[in-house]
Amino acid sequence: KPGKELHIIGKLNRAKPVEYDAQRNANQFTFYMIDEKGIEKKVIYNNAKPQDFEKSEKVVIIGSMQGNEFIAKSLLLKCPSKYKNNKPAKFGSKKFD
């Protein structure tokens, strides 16, 4: 759907390069993403690379297709919860008054 604004949810394809060179162009970041239907596209985000991008579980991009590439206006990350594996085994019987 060229030219139409889309919201796409997917994950980073870790087998392909993430390109960001802050000295050459601090406002361009590219990566490959696979959406929930299994379609892979190169994404160009004209902004700085978000911190901990490679640790993200899911990526939400908002933008549009231009040719074979997705130009993202906005990018949101869902990172793994730091509490995921730190659940208490069980609560004690102590009462608080």
Side-chain angles (χ1 to χ4, degrees):
K1 300 181 180 182
K4 183 174 180 183
E5 184 171 283
L6 304 168
H7 291 75
I8 310 290
I9 300 170
K11 62 182 179 176
L12 171 67
N13 182 348
R14 298 180 198 295
K16 294 212 174 167
V18 171
E19 298 171 4
Y20 180 66
D21 185 345
Q23 290 188 354
R24 190 176 51 135
N25 186 352
N27 289 318
Q28 188 171 62
F29 165 52
T30 64
F31 60 97
Y32 290 84
M33 187 176 112
I34 302 169
D35 71 11
E36 293 180 324
K37 295 179 181 178
I39 299 170
E40 179 187 81
K41 293 291 178 191
K42 181 177 184 178
V43 178
I44 299 172
Y45 180 52
N46 290 311
N47 213 324
K49 183 177 103 171
Q51 185 177 351
D52 295 331
F53 177 78
E54 287 85 353
K55 295 178 183 178
S56 65
E57 283 182 358
K58 290 197 177 197
V59 180
V60 178
I61 52 177
I62 301 167
S64 61
M65 289 296 298
Q66 287 186 10
N68 237 4
E69 300 171 330
F70 190 90
I71 308 301
K73 292 189 330 185
S74 185
L75 185 139
L76 305 165
L77 304 177
K78 181 181 184 319
C79 292
S81 173
K82 64 183 178 181
Y83 304 108
K84 196 175 202 176
N85 296 322
N86 295 332
K87 295 178 185 172
K90 70 176 197 176
F91 290 99
S93 60
K94 186 173 181 178
K95 293 183 179 181
F96 296 94
D97 295 323

Coordinates of all heavy atoms in Angstrom, one line a residue:
K1 N 0.8 -1.2 0.0 CA 0.0 0.0 0.0 C 0.9 1.2 0.0 O 1.0 1.9 1.0 CB -0.9 0.0 1.2 CG -1.9 -1.2 1.2 CD -2.8 -1.2 2.4 CE -3.7 -2.4 2.4 NZ -4.6 -2.5 3.4
P2 N 1.5 1.6 -1.1 CA 2.4 2.7 -1.2 C 1.7 4.0 -0.8 O 0.5 4.3 -1.2 CB 2.9 2.8 -2.6 CG 2.5 1.5 -3.2 CD 1.4 0.9 -2.4
G3 N 2.4 4.9 0.0 CA 1.8 6.2 0.3 C 0.9 6.2 1.5 O 0.6 7.2 2.0
K4 N 0.3 5.0 1.9 CA -0.7 5.0 2.9 C 0.1 4.8 4.3 O 1.0 4.0 4.3 CB -1.6 3.8 2.7 CG -2.7 3.8 3.8 CD -3.8 2.7 3.4 CE -4.8 2.8 4.6 NZ -5.8 1.8 4.4
E5 N -0.3 5.5 5.3 CA 0.3 5.4 6.6 C -0.1 4.1 7.2 O -1.3 3.8 7.3 CB 0.0 6.5 7.5 CG 0.8 6.4 8.9 CD 0.6 7.6 9.7 OE1 1.3 8.6 9.4 OE2 -0.2 7.6 10.7
L6 N 0.8 3.3 7.7 CA 0.6 2.0 8.3 C 1.2 1.8 9.7 O 2.3 2.5 9.9 CB 1.2 0.9 7.4 CG 0.7 0.9 5.9 CD1 1.6 -0.1 5.1 CD2 -0.7 0.4 5.9
H7 N 0.6 1.0 10.5 CA 1.2 0.6 11.8 C 1.5 -0.9 11.6 O 0.6 -1.7 11.4 CB 0.2 0.8 12.9 CG -0.2 2.2 13.3 ND1 -1.0 3.0 12.5 CD2 0.2 3.0 14.3 CE1 -1.1 4.2 13.0 NE2 -0.4 4.2 14.1
I8 N 2.8 -1.2 11.8 CA 3.3 -2.6 11.6 C 3.9 -3.1 12.9 O 4.8 -2.4 13.4 CB 4.3 -2.7 10.4 CG1 3.8 -2.0 9.2 CG2 4.7 -4.1 10.2 CD1 2.6 -2.7 8.5
I9 N 3.5 -4.3 13.3 CA 4.1 -4.9 14.4 C 5.0 -6.1 13.9 O 4.5 -6.9 13.1 CB 3.1 -5.4 15.4 CG1 2.2 -4.3 15.9 CG2 3.7 -6.1 16.6 CD1 1.0 -4.7 16.7
G10 N 6.2 -6.2 14.4 CA 7.1 -7.3 14.0 C 8.2 -7.4 14.9 O 8.2 -6.9 16.1
K11 N 9.2 -8.1 14.4 CA 10.5 -8.3 15.2 C 11.7 -8.1 14.3 O 11.6 -8.2 13.1 CB 10.5 -9.7 15.8 CG 10.5 -10.8 14.8 CD 10.5 -12.2 15.5 CE 10.5 -13.3 14.5 NZ 10.6 -14.6 15.0
L12 N 12.7 -7.7 14.9 CA 14.0 -7.4 14.3 C 14.5 -8.7 13.7 O 14.5 -9.8 14.4 CB 15.0 -6.9 15.3 CG 16.5 -6.7 14.9 CD1 16.6 -5.7 13.7 CD2 17.3 -6.3 16.0
N13 N 15.0 -8.7 12.4 CA 15.6 -9.9 11.9 C 17.1 -9.8 12.3 O 17.9 -9.0 11.7 CB 15.5 -9.9 10.3 CG 16.2 -11.1 9.7 OD1 16.9 -11.9 10.4 ND2 15.9 -11.4 8.4
R14 N 17.5 -10.5 13.3 CA 18.9 -10.5 13.8 C 19.9 -11.1 12.9 O 21.1 -10.9 13.1 CB 18.9 -11.2 15.2 CG 18.0 -10.5 16.2 CD 18.0 -11.2 17.5 NE 16.9 -10.9 18.4 CZ 16.6 -9.7 18.9 NH1 17.3 -8.6 18.6 NH2 15.6 -9.5 19.7
A15 N 19.5 -11.8 11.8 CA 20.4 -12.4 10.9 C 20.9 -11.3 9.9 O 21.9 -11.6 9.1 CB 19.8 -13.5 10.2
K16 N 20.2 -10.2 9.8 CA 20.6 -9.1 8.8 C 21.2 -7.9 9.6 O 20.9 -7.7 10.8 CB 19.4 -8.8 8.0 CG 19.0 -9.9 7.1 CD 18.4 -9.4 5.8 CE 18.1 -10.6 4.9 NZ 17.3 -10.1 3.8
P17 N 21.9 -7.1 8.8 CA 22.6 -6.0 9.5 C 21.7 -4.9 10.0 O 20.7 -4.6 9.4 CB 23.6 -5.4 8.5 CG 23.0 -5.8 7.2 CD 22.2 -7.1 7.4
V18 N 22.1 -4.3 11.2 CA 21.5 -3.1 11.7 C 22.5 -2.0 11.4 O 23.7 -2.1 11.8 CB 21.3 -3.2 13.2 CG1 20.9 -1.9 13.8 CG2 20.2 -4.3 13.5
E19 N 22.2 -1.0 10.6 CA 23.1 0.0 10.2 C 22.9 1.3 10.8 O 21.8 1.9 10.7 CB 23.1 0.1 8.7 CG 23.4 -1.2 8.0 CD 23.2 -1.1 6.5 OE1 22.8 -0.1 5.9 OE2 23.4 -2.2 5.8
Y20 N 23.9 1.8 11.6 CA 23.8 3.1 12.2 C 25.2 3.6 12.4 O 26.0 3.0 13.0 CB 23.1 3.1 13.6 CG 22.9 4.4 14.2 CD1 22.2 5.4 13.7 CD2 23.6 4.7 15.4 CE1 22.1 6.7 14.3 CE2 23.5 5.9 16.0 CZ 22.8 6.9 15.4 OH 22.7 8.1 16.0
D21 N 25.5 4.8 11.8 CA 26.8 5.4 11.9 C 26.6 6.8 12.3 O 26.3 7.7 11.5 CB 27.5 5.3 10.6 CG 29.0 5.9 10.7 OD1 29.3 6.5 11.7 OD2 29.7 5.6 9.7
A22 N 26.7 7.1 13.6 CA 26.4 8.4 14.2 C 27.3 9.5 13.6 O 26.9 10.7 13.5 CB 26.5 8.4 15.7
Q23 N 28.5 9.2 13.2 CA 29.4 10.2 12.7 C 29.1 10.5 11.2 O 29.2 11.7 10.8 CB 30.9 9.7 12.8 CG 31.3 9.7 14.2 CD 32.8 9.4 14.3 OE1 33.5 9.1 13.3 NE2 33.3 9.4 15.5
R24 N 28.6 9.5 10.5 CA 28.3 9.8 9.1 C 26.9 10.5 9.0 O 26.8 11.4 8.3 CB 28.3 8.5 8.3 CG 28.2 8.7 6.8 CD 28.3 7.3 6.1 NE 27.4 6.4 6.7 CZ 26.6 5.6 6.0 NH1 26.6 5.6 4.7 NH2 25.8 4.8 6.7
N25 N 25.9 9.9 9.7 CA 24.6 10.5 9.7 C 23.9 10.0 10.9 O 23.3 8.9 11.0 CB 23.8 10.0 8.4 CG 22.5 10.7 8.3 OD1 22.0 11.4 9.2 ND2 21.8 10.6 7.2
A26 N 23.8 10.9 11.9 CA 23.2 10.5 13.2 C 21.7 10.4 13.1 O 21.1 9.9 14.1 CB 23.6 11.5 14.3
N27 N 21.1 10.8 12.0 CA 19.7 10.8 11.9 C 19.2 9.8 10.8 O 18.2 10.0 10.1 CB 19.1 12.2 11.6 CG 19.2 13.1 12.8 OD1 18.9 12.6 13.9 ND2 19.7 14.3 12.6
Q28 N 20.0 8.7 10.7 CA 19.5 7.6 9.8 C 19.9 6.3 10.4 O 21.1 6.1 10.7 CB 20.0 7.7 8.4 CG 19.2 6.7 7.5 CD 19.5 6.9 6.1 OE1 20.6 6.8 5.6 NE2 18.4 7.2 5.3
F29 N 18.9 5.4 10.5 CA 19.1 4.1 11.1 C 18.3 3.1 10.3 O 17.1 3.4 10.0 CB 18.6 4.2 12.6 CG 18.3 2.9 13.3 CD1 19.3 2.0 13.3 CD2 17.1 2.7 13.9 CE1 19.1 0.8 14.0 CE2 16.9 1.5 14.6 CZ 17.9 0.6 14.6
T30 N 18.9 2.0 9.9 CA 18.2 1.1 9.0 C 18.4 -0.3 9.6 O 19.4 -0.7 10.3 CB 18.7 1.0 7.6 OG1 20.1 0.6 7.6 CG2 18.6 2.4 6.9
F31 N 17.3 -1.1 9.4 CA 17.3 -2.5 9.9 C 16.3 -3.3 9.1 O 15.5 -2.7 8.3 CB 17.0 -2.6 11.4 CG 15.6 -2.0 11.8 CD1 14.5 -2.8 11.9 CD2 15.5 -0.6 12.0 CE1 13.3 -2.3 12.3 CE2 14.2 -0.1 12.3 CZ 13.1 -0.9 12.5
Y32 N 16.3 -4.6 9.3 CA 15.3 -5.5 8.6 C 14.3 -6.0 9.7 O 14.8 -6.5 10.7 CB 16.0 -6.6 7.9 CG 16.8 -6.1 6.7 CD1 18.1 -5.6 6.8 CD2 16.2 -6.2 5.4 CE1 18.8 -5.2 5.7 CE2 16.9 -5.7 4.3 CZ 18.2 -5.2 4.5 OH 18.9 -4.7 3.4
M33 N 13.1 -6.0 9.3 CA 12.0 -6.4 10.3 C 11.1 -7.4 9.6 O 10.8 -7.3 8.4 CB 11.2 -5.2 10.7 CG 10.2 -5.5 11.8 SD 9.3 -4.0 12.3 CE 7.7 -4.3 11.7
I34 N 10.7 -8.4 10.4 CA 9.7 -9.4 9.9 C 8.4 -9.1 10.6 O 8.4 -9.1 11.8 CB 10.2 -10.8 10.2 CG1 11.6 -11.0 9.5 CG2 9.2 -11.9 9.7 CD1 12.3 -12.3 10.0
D35 N 7.3 -8.9 9.8 CA 6.0 -8.6 10.4 C 5.3 -9.9 10.9 O 5.9 -11.0 10.7 CB 5.2 -7.7 9.5 CG 4.6 -8.5 8.3 OD1 4.7 -9.7 8.2 OD2 4.1 -7.8 7.4
E36 N 4.2 -9.7 11.5 CA 3.4 -10.9 12.0 C 2.9 -11.8 11.0 O 2.5 -13.0 11.3 CB 2.3 -10.4 12.9 CG 2.8 -9.7 14.2 CD 1.7 -9.1 15.0 OE1 0.7 -8.7 14.5 OE2 1.9 -9.2 16.3
K37 N 3.0 -11.4 9.7 CA 2.6 -12.3 8.6 C 3.8 -13.0 8.0 O 3.7 -13.7 7.0 CB 1.8 -11.5 7.5 CG 0.5 -11.0 8.0 CD -0.2 -10.2 6.9 CE -1.5 -9.7 7.4 NZ -2.2 -8.9 6.4
G38 N 5.0 -12.7 8.5 CA 6.2 -13.3 8.0 C 6.9 -12.6 6.8 O 7.8 -13.1 6.2
I39 N 6.4 -11.4 6.6 CA 6.9 -10.6 5.5 C 8.1 -9.7 6.0 O 8.0 -9.0 7.0 CB 5.9 -9.7 4.8 CG1 4.7 -10.5 4.3 CG2 6.5 -8.8 3.8 CD1 3.5 -9.8 3.8
E40 N 9.2 -9.8 5.3 CA 10.4 -9.0 5.7 C 10.6 -7.8 4.8 O 10.5 -7.9 3.6 CB 11.7 -9.9 5.6 CG 12.9 -9.2 6.0 CD 14.2 -10.0 5.7 OE1 14.6 -10.0 4.6 OE2 14.7 -10.6 6.7
K41 N 10.9 -6.7 5.4 CA 11.2 -5.4 4.7 C 12.3 -4.7 5.4 O 12.5 -4.8 6.6 CB 10.0 -4.5 4.7 CG 8.8 -5.0 3.9 CD 9.1 -5.0 2.4 CE 7.9 -5.6 1.6 NZ 8.2 -5.8 0.3
K42 N 13.1 -4.0 4.6 CA 14.1 -3.1 5.1 C 13.4 -1.8 5.6 O 12.5 -1.3 4.9 CB 15.1 -2.7 4.0 CG 16.2 -1.7 4.5 CD 17.2 -1.4 3.4 CE 18.3 -0.6 3.9 NZ 19.3 -0.4 2.9
V43 N 13.7 -1.4 6.8 CA 13.1 -0.2 7.4 C 14.1 0.9 7.5 O 15.3 0.6 8.0 CB 12.6 -0.6 8.8 CG1 12.0 0.7 9.5 CG2 11.5 -1.7 8.8
I44 N 13.8 2.1 7.1 CA 14.6 3.3 7.3 C 13.9 4.2 8.2 O 12.8 4.6 8.0 CB 14.8 4.0 5.9 CG1 15.5 3.0 4.9 CG2 15.6 5.2 6.1 CD1 15.6 3.5 3.5
Y45 N 14.6 4.5 9.3 CA 14.1 5.4 10.4 C 15.0 6.6 10.4 O 16.2 6.5 10.7 CB 14.1 4.6 11.7 CG 13.6 5.4 12.9 CD1 12.4 6.1 12.9 CD2 14.4 5.5 14.0 CE1 11.9 6.8 13.9 CE2 13.9 6.2 15.2 CZ 12.7 6.8 15.1 OH 12.2 7.5 16.2
N46 N 14.5 7.8 10.0 CA 15.3 9.0 10.0 C 15.4 9.7 11.3 O 14.8 10.8 11.5 CB 14.7 9.9 8.9 CG 15.0 9.3 7.5 OD1 16.1 8.9 7.2 ND2 14.0 9.3 6.7
N47 N 16.0 9.0 12.2 CA 16.3 9.5 13.6 C 17.4 8.6 14.1 O 17.8 7.7 13.5 CB 15.0 9.3 14.4 CG 14.8 10.4 15.4 OD1 15.8 10.9 16.0 ND2 13.6 10.9 15.6
A48 N 17.8 8.9 15.4 CA 18.9 8.2 16.0 C 18.4 6.8 16.4 O 17.2 6.5 16.6 CB 19.3 8.9 17.3
K49 N 19.3 5.8 16.5 CA 19.0 4.5 16.9 C 18.6 4.5 18.3 O 19.3 5.0 19.2 CB 20.2 3.5 16.6 CG 19.9 2.1 17.0 CD 21.1 1.2 16.7 CE 21.7 0.9 18.0 NZ 22.8 -0.1 17.9
P50 N 17.4 3.9 18.7 CA 17.0 3.8 20.1 C 18.0 3.0 20.9 O 18.5 2.0 20.4 CB 15.7 3.2 20.1 CG 15.2 3.3 18.6 CD 16.4 3.3 17.8
Q51 N 18.2 3.4 22.2 CA 19.0 2.6 23.1 C 18.4 1.2 23.3 O 17.2 1.1 23.4 CB 19.1 3.3 24.4 CG 20.0 2.7 25.4 CD 20.1 3.5 26.7 OE1 19.7 4.6 26.8 NE2 20.8 3.0 27.7
D52 N 19.2 0.2 23.4 CA 18.8 -1.2 23.6 C 17.9 -1.7 22.5 O 17.1 -2.7 22.7 CB 18.1 -1.4 25.0 CG 19.1 -1.1 26.1 OD1 20.3 -1.3 26.0 OD2 18.6 -0.7 27.2
F53 N 18.1 -1.2 21.3 CA 17.2 -1.6 20.2 C 17.3 -3.2 19.9 O 16.3 -3.8 19.7 CB 17.6 -0.9 18.9 CG 16.8 -1.3 17.7 CD1 15.5 -0.9 17.5 CD2 17.3 -2.2 16.8 CE1 14.7 -1.3 16.4 CE2 16.6 -2.6 15.7 CZ 15.3 -2.2 15.5
E54 N 18.6 -3.7 20.0 CA 18.8 -5.1 19.7 C 18.2 -6.0 20.7 O 18.0 -7.2 20.5 CB 20.3 -5.4 19.6 CG 20.9 -4.9 18.3 CD 21.3 -3.4 18.4 OE1 21.0 -2.7 19.4 OE2 21.9 -2.9 17.4
K55 N 17.8 -5.5 21.9 CA 17.2 -6.3 23.0 C 15.7 -6.4 22.9 O 15.1 -7.1 23.6 CB 17.6 -5.7 24.4 CG 19.1 -5.8 24.7 CD 19.3 -5.2 26.0 CE 20.8 -5.2 26.3 NZ 21.1 -4.5 27.6
S56 N 15.1 -5.6 22.0 CA 13.7 -5.6 21.9 C 13.1 -6.9 21.5 O 13.6 -7.6 20.7 CB 13.2 -4.5 20.9 OG 13.6 -4.8 19.6
E57 N 11.9 -7.2 22.1 CA 11.1 -8.4 21.7 C 10.3 -8.1 20.5 O 10.2 -9.0 19.6 CB 10.2 -8.8 22.9 CG 10.9 -9.5 24.0 CD 9.9 -9.9 25.1 OE1 8.7 -9.7 25.0 OE2 10.4 -10.5 26.0
K58 N 9.7 -7.0 20.4 CA 8.8 -6.6 19.3 C 9.1 -5.1 19.0 O 9.5 -4.3 19.8 CB 7.3 -6.7 19.7 CG 6.9 -8.2 19.8 CD 5.4 -8.3 19.7 CE 5.1 -9.8 19.8 NZ 3.8 -10.1 19.3
V59 N 8.8 -4.8 17.7 CA 9.0 -3.4 17.2 C 7.7 -3.0 16.6 O 7.1 -3.8 15.8 CB 10.1 -3.4 16.2 CG1 10.3 -2.0 15.6 CG2 11.4 -3.9 16.7
V60 N 7.3 -1.8 16.9 CA 6.1 -1.2 16.2 C 6.6 0.0 15.4 O 7.3 0.8 15.9 CB 5.0 -0.7 17.2 CG1 3.9 -0.1 16.5 CG2 4.6 -1.9 18.1
I61 N 6.3 -0.1 14.1 CA 6.7 1.0 13.2 C 5.5 1.7 12.6 O 4.5 1.0 12.3 CB 7.7 0.6 12.1 CG1 7.2 -0.6 11.3 CG2 9.1 0.3 12.7 CD1 8.1 -1.0 10.2
I62 N 5.6 3.0 12.5 CA 4.5 3.8 11.9 C 5.1 4.6 10.7 O 6.1 5.3 10.9 CB 3.9 4.7 12.9 CG1 3.3 3.9 14.1 CG2 2.8 5.6 12.3 CD1 2.9 4.7 15.3
G63 N 4.6 4.4 9.6 CA 5.1 5.1 8.4 C 4.5 4.6 7.1 O 3.3 4.1 7.2
S64 N 5.2 4.6 6.0 CA 4.7 4.2 4.8 C 5.8 3.5 3.9 O 7.0 3.7 4.1 CB 4.1 5.3 4.0 OG 5.0 6.3 3.8
M65 N 5.3 2.8 2.9 CA 6.2 2.1 1.9 C 6.6 3.1 0.9 O 5.8 3.9 0.4 CB 5.5 0.9 1.3 CG 5.3 -0.3 2.1 SD 6.8 -1.1 2.7 CE 7.6 -1.6 1.2
Q66 N 7.9 3.1 0.5 CA 8.4 3.8 -0.6 C 9.2 2.8 -1.4 O 10.3 2.5 -1.0 CB 9.2 5.0 -0.2 CG 8.3 6.1 0.4 CD 9.1 7.4 0.7 OE1 10.3 7.5 0.3 NE2 8.5 8.3 1.4
G67 N 8.7 2.4 -2.5 CA 9.4 1.3 -3.3 C 9.4 0.0 -2.5 O 8.3 -0.4 -2.0
N68 N 10.5 -0.5 -2.3 CA 10.6 -1.8 -1.5 C 11.0 -1.6 -0.1 O 11.3 -2.6 0.6 CB 11.7 -2.7 -2.2 CG 11.1 -4.0 -2.6 OD1 9.9 -4.3 -2.5 ND2 12.0 -4.9 -3.1
E69 N 11.1 -0.3 0.4 CA 11.5 0.0 1.7 C 10.4 0.7 2.5 O 9.6 1.4 2.0 CB 12.7 0.9 1.7 CG 13.9 0.2 1.0 CD 15.1 1.2 0.8 OE1 14.8 2.4 0.6 OE2 16.2 0.7 0.7
F70 N 10.4 0.4 3.8 CA 9.4 1.1 4.7 C 10.1 2.3 5.4 O 11.2 2.1 6.0 CB 9.0 0.1 5.8 CG 7.8 0.6 6.6 CD1 6.5 0.3 6.1 CD2 8.0 1.3 7.7 CE1 5.4 0.8 6.9 CE2 6.9 1.8 8.4 CZ 5.6 1.6 8.0
I71 N 9.5 3.4 5.2 CA 10.1 4.7 5.8 C 9.3 4.9 7.1 O 8.1 5.2 7.0 CB 10.0 5.9 4.9 CG1 10.6 5.6 3.5 CG2 10.6 7.1 5.5 CD1 12.0 5.2 3.5
A72 N 9.9 4.7 8.2 CA 9.3 4.8 9.5 C 9.4 6.3 10.0 O 10.4 6.9 10.1 CB 9.9 3.9 10.5
K73 N 8.2 6.8 10.4 CA 8.1 8.2 11.0 C 8.3 8.0 12.5 O 8.8 8.9 13.2 CB 6.8 8.8 10.8 CG 6.5 9.2 9.4 CD 5.2 10.0 9.2 CE 4.1 9.7 10.2 NZ 2.9 10.5 10.0
S74 N 7.8 6.9 13.0 CA 7.8 6.6 14.5 C 8.2 5.2 14.7 O 7.9 4.3 13.9 CB 6.5 7.0 15.0 OG 6.4 6.9 16.4
L75 N 8.8 4.9 15.8 CA 9.3 3.6 16.2 C 9.1 3.4 17.7 O 9.5 4.2 18.5 CB 10.7 3.5 15.8 CG 11.4 2.1 15.9 CD1 12.3 1.9 14.7 CD2 12.3 2.1 17.2
L76 N 8.4 2.3 18.0 CA 8.2 1.9 19.5 C 8.8 0.6 19.7 O 8.7 -0.3 18.9 CB 6.7 1.9 19.8 CG 5.9 3.2 19.5 CD1 4.5 2.9 19.5 CD2 6.3 4.3 20.5
L77 N 9.4 0.4 20.9 CA 10.0 -0.9 21.2 C 9.3 -1.6 22.4 O 8.9 -0.9 23.3 CB 11.4 -0.7 21.6 CG 12.3 -0.1 20.6 CD1 13.7 0.1 21.2 CD2 12.4 -0.8 19.3
K78 N 9.1 -2.9 22.3 CA 8.7 -3.7 23.5 C 9.9 -4.5 23.9 O 10.3 -5.4 23.2 CB 7.5 -4.6 23.1 CG 7.0 -5.3 24.3 CD 5.9 -6.3 24.0 CE 5.3 -7.0 25.2 NZ 6.2 -7.5 26.2
C79 N 10.4 -4.1 25.0 CA 11.6 -4.8 25.5 C 11.2 -5.9 26.6 O 10.1 -5.8 27.2 CB 12.5 -3.8 26.2 SG 13.2 -2.7 25.0
P80 N 12.1 -6.9 26.7 CA 11.8 -7.9 27.7 C 11.6 -7.3 29.1 O 12.4 -6.4 29.5 CB 13.0 -8.8 27.7 CG 13.8 -8.4 26.5 CD 13.4 -7.0 26.1
S81 N 10.7 -7.8 29.9 CA 10.5 -7.3 31.2 C 11.7 -7.7 32.1 O 12.1 -8.8 32.1 CB 9.2 -7.8 31.8 OG 9.1 -7.4 33.1
K82 N 12.2 -6.7 32.9 CA 13.2 -7.1 33.8 C 12.7 -7.9 35.0 O 13.4 -8.5 35.7 CB 14.0 -5.9 34.3 CG 13.1 -4.9 35.1 CD 13.9 -3.7 35.5 CE 13.1 -2.7 36.2 NZ 13.9 -1.5 36.6
Y83 N 11.4 -8.0 35.1 CA 10.7 -8.7 36.2 C 10.3 -10.1 35.7 O 9.8 -10.9 36.5 CB 9.5 -8.0 36.7 CG 9.9 -6.6 37.2 CD1 9.5 -5.5 36.4 CD2 10.6 -6.4 38.3 CE1 9.8 -4.2 36.8 CE2 11.0 -5.1 38.7 CZ 10.6 -4.0 38.0 OH 10.9 -2.7 38.3
K84 N 10.5 -10.4 34.5 CA 10.0 -11.7 33.9 C 10.4 -12.9 34.7 O 9.6 -13.8 35.0 CB 10.5 -11.8 32.5 CG 9.7 -12.8 31.6 CD 10.3 -12.7 30.2 CE 9.3 -13.3 29.3 NZ 9.7 -13.1 27.9
N85 N 11.7 -13.0 35.0 CA 12.1 -14.2 35.7 C 12.4 -14.0 37.2 O 13.0 -14.8 37.8 CB 13.4 -14.7 35.0 CG 13.1 -15.2 33.6 OD1 12.1 -15.8 33.3 ND2 14.0 -14.9 32.7
N86 N 12.0 -12.9 37.7 CA 12.2 -12.6 39.1 C 11.0 -12.7 40.0 O 10.8 -11.9 40.9 CB 12.9 -11.2 39.2 CG 14.2 -11.2 38.6 OD1 14.9 -12.2 38.6 ND2 14.6 -10.0 38.1
K87 N 10.0 -13.5 39.7 CA 8.8 -13.7 40.4 C 9.1 -14.4 41.8 O 9.9 -15.3 41.8 CB 7.8 -14.5 39.7 CG 7.3 -13.8 38.4 CD 6.3 -14.7 37.7 CE 5.9 -14.0 36.4 NZ 5.2 -14.9 35.5
P88 N 8.5 -14.0 42.8 CA 8.8 -14.7 44.1 C 8.2 -16.1 44.0 O 7.2 -16.4 43.4 CB 8.0 -13.9 45.1 CG 7.1 -13.0 44.4 CD 7.6 -12.9 43.0
A89 N 8.9 -17.0 44.7 CA 8.5 -18.4 44.7 C 7.2 -18.5 45.4 O 6.3 -19.2 44.9 CB 9.6 -19.3 45.4
K90 N 7.0 -17.9 46.5 CA 5.7 -17.8 47.2 C 5.8 -16.7 48.2 O 6.8 -16.4 48.7 CB 5.3 -19.2 47.8 CG 6.2 -19.6 49.0 CD 5.6 -20.9 49.6 CE 6.1 -21.0 51.0 NZ 5.6 -22.2 51.7
F91 N 4.6 -16.3 48.6 CA 4.6 -15.2 49.6 C 4.6 -15.9 51.0 O 4.0 -16.9 51.2 CB 3.3 -14.4 49.4 CG 3.3 -13.5 48.2 CD1 2.7 -13.9 47.1 CD2 4.1 -12.3 48.2 CE1 2.7 -13.1 45.9 CE2 4.1 -11.5 47.1 CZ 3.5 -11.9 45.9
G92 N 5.2 -15.2 52.0 CA 5.2 -15.7 53.3 C 3.8 -15.5 54.0 O 2.9 -14.9 53.5
S93 N 3.7 -15.9 55.2 CA 2.5 -15.8 56.0 C 2.4 -14.6 56.9 O 1.5 -14.5 57.7 CB 2.2 -17.1 56.8 OG 3.3 -17.3 57.7
K94 N 3.4 -13.8 56.8 CA 3.5 -12.6 57.7 C 2.4 -11.7 57.4 O 2.1 -11.4 56.2 CB 4.8 -11.9 57.5 CG 5.1 -10.8 58.5 CD 6.4 -10.3 58.4 CE 6.6 -9.1 59.4 NZ 7.9 -8.6 59.4
K95 N 1.7 -11.1 58.4 CA 0.6 -10.2 58.2 C 1.1 -8.8 58.6 O 1.9 -8.6 59.5 CB -0.6 -10.6 59.1 CG -1.2 -11.8 58.7 CD -2.4 -12.1 59.5 CE -3.1 -13.4 59.1 NZ -4.3 -13.7 59.8
F96 N 0.6 -7.8 57.9 CA 0.9 -6.4 58.2 C -0.3 -5.8 58.7 O -1.3 -5.8 58.1 CB 1.4 -5.8 56.9 CG 2.7 -6.4 56.4 CD1 2.7 -7.3 55.4 CD2 3.9 -5.9 56.9 CE1 3.9 -7.9 54.9 CE2 5.1 -6.5 56.4 CZ 5.1 -7.5 55.5
D97 N -0.2 -5.1 59.9 CA -1.3 -4.4 60.5 C -1.2 -2.9 60.2 O -0.3 -2.3 60.2 CB -1.4 -4.7 62.0 CG -1.7 -6.2 62.2 OD1 -2.5 -6.8 61.5 OD2 -1.1 -6.7 63.2

